Amino acid sequence: MTQVDPTRMANAIRGLSMDAVEKAKSGHPGLPMGAADIATVLFTQFLKYDAANPAWPDRDRFVLSAGHGSMLLYSLLYLTGNSEMTLDQIRHFRQLGSLTPGHPENFHTKGIETTTGPLGQGIATAVGMALAEKMLAAEFGKKIVDHHTYVLVSDGDLMEGVSQEAISLAGHWRLNKMIVLYDNNGISIDGPTSLADSVDQVKRFKSAGWAAELIDGQDQKAIAAAIARAQKSNKPSLISCKTTIGFGAPHKAGTNKAHGEALGADELKAAKEKLGISLEPFSVPDDALKSWREAGARGAAARQEWEARFAELGPRKRAEFERRLKHERPASLAKALRDHKKKLLENPLNVATRKSSEAAIDAIAEAMPMEFLSGSADLTGSNNNKAKSAVAFSAKVPKGRFIHYGIREHGMAACLNGIFLHGGFAPNGATFLIFSDYARPAMRLAALMGTGVVYVMTHDSIGLGEDGPTHQPVEHLAALRAIPNMRVFRPCDAIEVAECWELALNRTTGPTVLALTRQNLPQLRSSTPADNPCAQGAYELVAVGGEAKVSLFASGSEVEVAVNAQKQLVERGISARVVSVPSLELLLAQPVERQRSVIGNAPVKIAIEAAVRWGWDAVIGQDGEFIGMHSFGASAPAKDLFKHFGITPEAAVNAALKRLG
Ligand SMILES: Cc1ncc(C[n+]2csc(CCOP(=O)(O)OP(=O)(O)O)c2C)c(N)n1
């Protein structure tokens, strides 16, 4: 190893970060300057990674939870020798098309583990990564899976509520290979954190079952000693590193002026002079760069040793590991669901879709027992997503494949992202649809990143009944459908449930919501075409010979309402058809021709959904009839509520008759 003063190594990060923010005239120099010593120690002495192979399976994960400090990460990628992260990319920080966007995007830049920026998400996602590591290590052995998850958090990360959910879970699960480095600079945007905070973070983490200590975060020896201690702990570890934001900037260091704007030419020059950095923009001394590159190549030997160990595995185990990490589904899954649907045709299941989902889950878990990973935010008995064969996961039972998340919807959703990003599992998490509100920030990130996670969201309308309007979603379907790359399925019966589960599990480029009922529903389908009719979002469930006068569109529990309305219309001599719409946004994403053929051109178009109208105009037109919710719900038995809010076959029939004159 080339011997270079480690402070000069850290200064390389500081110089690049200052210059990039200065050139972009936007960004956050304070965090990279303050946390440069932490990052230098971690990346040169501890982190197991190979810059030439950023996706090697047994690498340590590093998550920059405080995504606004992105220049820290970009500097590290460049310095350690990530082939795509050139100096030119750093010069184009925050510019269109560059690999250096404002906040780190894992789907955009190689070497970034997860997308961060919304504070708190990174640490919560990292818990999922550390959990996946523990589970996979128990299954495949420590020779194949044995890595740490390091996270750099800021004050803001630890103020966000989701961090509490995350650290509670990590402590409870004894995720001792998770090590959180806290950039404790006591400054946020408004000024000192004392304006709004007086939490003792060391005590807070200790009370959640972590090892925690406070150190001088500008002292590289102290940082190294603390990480070495953390690696030996049998608990997850917090290292609270007291740092100075904007370290080295003579006037702005230690103040909120260093947080989120360019330092300005004078301060930048003065900072560089103080730190002994060349005034030439974007320059790194040769010896420092050489030393950084050596650090980046340090892990190549570990990777090669891992590859040799991996090669010793039997061919079946090797293929299984590779398949799992690539998120490919086993052939047994398609067969299991085919058999399951066949059984449903023979013995129809007239139950709530949450119950028919449970039946589908039993079949799925049999086909992929170790990778299908369910969990619930304390509603297991209501969400029905625990397979009969599944055992509860715990610190002592790492092979368990059902996770009790406690009442932590947000932490659960972030954890699902981390599990998926780590690889090896097809995770789903469950709660009531109404509480998607509590999970939404992580769900949005799932859609942005394209993580193939599944949300089992039961109690999906006023049909849940007595719990009343606090628990009855009305705007949630529309709100979730509005998220780009989020797939929302609201299946109408046991067959659609099986079809939607299949689509959800095979969708590994984005998340899927399964909105399921509490109340019983009849099995409406009498065939299971091989091409899975749910795949196009909507299909004709009840056809009519010739031209239809009325087209009825519905999702989920209201498909039954539409089917009954259709019967009544036909009895009155009015030709009517029913289109089941398990996924409105998927229908609207089909080619126009396909949409036209499904929507048809009946003079009267009626949509029925026990939710708000948003989105349906694209199917029924602005002048179409909508039978659904126009307000919050109410507390009463479900049957009374559907009548009270006018979501009945009679209401649909009356609307059609009125239109037809
Ligand atoms: C959920 C969320 N809320 C608000 C913001 C906007 N924001 C970005 S950084 C920040 C706080 C900065 O303080 P700190 O976390 O201590 O970072 P530092 O000042 O040390 O860079 C805020 C409020 C955000 N990114 N995410």
Side-chain angles (χ1 to χ4, degrees):
M1 275 282 275
T2 316
Q3 283 299 322
V4 172
D5 173 2
T7 303
R8 290 183 59 235
M9 307 262 297
N11 283 344
I13 297 173
R14 295 186 174 107
L16 288 173
S17 300
M18 282 190 272
D19 286 338
V21 174
E22 198 67 23
K23 180 146 191 275
K25 297 194 179 62
S26 102
H28 302 77
L31 186 147
M33 293 172 77
D37 291 307
I38 302 169
T40 300
V41 172
L42 182 63
F43 276 68
T44 60
Q45 297 181 43
F46 292 94
L47 196 75
K48 182 173 71 165
Y49 68 107
D50 178 4
N53 281 277
W56 156 47
D58 201 36
R59 69 191 181 278
D60 285 343
R61 303 320 197 247
F62 173 71
V63 172
L64 177 66
S65 192
H68 62 274
S70 56
M71 264 315 301
L72 178 77
L73 199 41
Y74 302 147
S75 302
L76 288 164
L77 290 176
Y78 165 67
L79 290 168
T80 55
N82 175 299
S83 61
E84 290 186 358
M85 189 55 70
T86 59
L87 211 46
D88 208 41
Q89 294 292 345
I90 301 224
R91 284 197 190 95
H92 289 87
F93 179 50
R94 293 188 157 227
Q95 305 309 305
L96 194 64
S98 75
L99 295 176
T100 49
H103 295 83
E105 299 169 2
N106 64 321
F107 51 92
H108 186 69
T109 309
K110 285 204 183 102
I112 289 172
E113 301 288 357
T114 183
T115 297
T116 53
L119 290 164
Q121 290 298 324
I123 181 171
T125 304
V127 170
M129 294 179 183
L131 173 69
E133 194 271 347
K134 185 179 175 103
M135 291 182 135
L136 221 51
E139 188 184 343
F140 286 89
K142 287 216 170 283
K143 283 189 175 166
I144 303 303
V145 183
D146 185 11
H147 53 264
H148 283 90
T149 302
Y150 294 95
V151 191
L152 188 90
V153 300
S154 66
D155 299 303
D157 282 303
L158 297 189
M159 283 191 214
E160 288 292 350
V162 70
S163 69
Q164 184 59 36
E165 298 183 20
I167 68 172
S168 304
L169 289 170
H172 184 67
W173 293 335
R174 293 205 159 242
L175 301 179
N176 63 313
K177 289 161 85 183
M178 177 161 182
I179 298 175
V180 171
L181 297 145
Y182 167 29
D183 178 36
N184 175 3
N185 62 29
I187 295 291
S188 66
I189 293 179
D190 282 0
T193 50
S194 59
L195 285 171
D197 197 67
S198 48
V199 172
D200 181 331
Q201 296 293 354
V202 168
K203 281 190 187 156
R204 176 194 180 206
F205 275 73
K206 278 187 177 167
S207 76
W210 288 56
E213 62 173 311
L214 176 68
I215 63 159
D216 177 351
Q218 248 53 89
D219 176 346
Q220 294 200 13
K221 285 207 173 84
I223 297 164
I227 297 176
R229 277 192 294 277
Q231 285 188 335
K232 291 201 192 87
S233 175
N234 60 359
K235 299 173 179 176
S237 296
L238 171 81
I239 304 170
S240 175
C241 308
K242 196 83 204 128
T243 57
T244 301
I245 191 169
F247 182 91
H251 305 101
K252 296 190 172 179
T255 76
N256 58 342
K257 290 204 167 61
H259 162 81
E261 60 190 23
L263 292 177
D266 293 346
E267 181 78 354
L268 189 153
K269 182 164 178 278
K272 283 192 165 177
E273 281 167 356
K274 189 168 171 198
L275 293 166
I277 300 174
S278 156
L279 296 184
E280 175 71 24
F282 302 103
S283 69
V284 177
D286 289 344
D287 60 339
L289 185 60
K290 186 159 178 275
S291 200
W292 267 114
R293 291 285 151 91
E294 283 172 8
R298 199 172 44 90
R303 175 180 56 79
Q304 284 155 4
E305 284 160 23
W306 179 85
E307 282 167 356
R309 288 195 302 276
F310 187 65
E312 282 167 18
L313 286 185
R316 280 184 58 173
K317 207 159 187 194
R318 229 170 32 224
E320 171 76 357
F321 186 80
E322 284 176 337
R323 180 187 68 73
R324 295 263 297 268
L325 284 206
K326 279 192 274 185
H327 297 293
E328 283 171 3
R329 302 304 177 219
S332 52
L333 174 65
K335 184 180 179 318
L337 285 169
R338 225 182 301 125
D339 293 349
H340 172 64
K341 285 184 276 185
K342 201 162 153 249
K343 270 191 222 146
L344 290 174
L345 288 182
E346 288 158 7
N347 295 301
L349 262 185
N350 299 309
V351 298
T353 47
R354 62 181 172 135
K355 286 295 287 180
S356 48
S357 165
E358 185 175 40
I361 282 172
D362 280 332
I364 293 163
E366 218 164 287
M368 35 201 284
M370 295 309 279
E371 72 198 278
F372 185 71
L373 177 59
S374 287
S376 170
D378 201 45
L379 288 168
T380 305
S382 301
N383 300 139
N384 301 86
N385 68 328
K386 183 171 190 282
K388 277 191 202 75
S389 58
V391 173
F393 166 86
S394 71
K396 292 214 172 100
V397 187
K399 286 188 180 169
R401 289 295 179 263
F402 188 85
I403 300 176
H404 293 281
Y405 286 99
I407 306 95
R408 300 188 182 98
E409 297 82 6
H410 196 177
M412 172 175 74
C415 198
L416 293 176
N417 284 338
I419 294 167
F420 185 90
L421 291 171
H422 181 280
F425 299 97
N428 73 83
T431 183
F432 290 158
L433 180 60
I434 193 92
F435 301 131
S436 59
D437 285 341
Y438 277 54
R440 196 176 159 98
M443 295 174 75
R444 183 180 190 276
L445 269 190
L448 176 64
M449 290 192 277
T451 56
V453 304
V454 181
Y455 311 105
V456 176
M457 302 249 162
T458 68
H459 297 60
D460 70 347
S461 76
I462 53 163
L464 67 87
E466 294 82 348
D467 271 346
T470 55
H471 283 50
Q472 293 161 352
V474 289
E475 77 280 25
H476 298 73
L477 291 170
L480 292 168
R481 285 170 182 154
I483 302 177
N485 198 35
M486 178 68 73
R487 178 74 31 83
V488 182
F489 281 120
R490 189 165 182 255
C492 74
D493 75 351
I495 303 260
E496 275 198 7
V497 163
E499 289 173 345
C500 294
W501 258 115
E502 184 157 25
L503 292 168
L505 287 171
N506 285 316
R507 181 164 199 256
T508 54
T509 55
T512 302
V513 173
L514 297 176
L516 306 171
T517 67
R518 173 183 183 235
Q519 74 275 27
N520 286 339
L521 298 176
Q523 188 171 308
L524 297 168
R525 284 272 296 282
S526 53
S527 69
T528 58
D531 63 354
N532 194 341
C534 293
Q536 292 181 319
Y539 63 95
E540 193 171 68
L541 176 69
V542 183
V544 64
E547 293 280 293
K549 280 263 176 348
V550 179
S551 279
L552 296 149
F553 303 88
S555 81
S557 44
E558 287 69 67
V559 177
E560 181 191 9
V561 177
V563 167
N564 289 334
Q566 192 268 352
K567 278 186 198 139
Q568 293 183 24
L569 286 168
V570 170
E571 277 163 19
R572 289 167 183 258
I574 298 165
S575 60
R577 61 196 275 271
V578 177
V579 176
S580 177
V581 190
S583 178
L584 178 59
E585 78 282 5
L586 186 52
L587 166 64
L588 298 177
Q590 299 301 310
V592 177
E593 280 312 303
R594 162 79 196 160
Q595 287 187 48
R596 280 202 191 120
S597 85
V598 177
I599 294 171
N601 41 25
V604 178
K605 296 195 186 79
I606 303 176
I608 316 174
E609 184 167 71
V612 297
R613 178 171 179 145
W614 278 90
W616 281 102
D617 284 11
V619 173
I620 57 174
Q622 274 184 319
D623 57 347
E625 285 287 335
F626 181 73
I627 299 204
M629 296 298 291
H630 303 276
S631 66
F632 291 116
S635 169
K639 279 211 171 70
D640 297 346
L641 290 174
F642 278 98
K643 222 175 271 163
H644 176 75
F645 289 105
I647 305 174
T648 60
E650 292 70 31
V653 169
N654 288 340
L657 292 177
K658 214 159 112 197
R659 282 299 179 110
L660 291 168

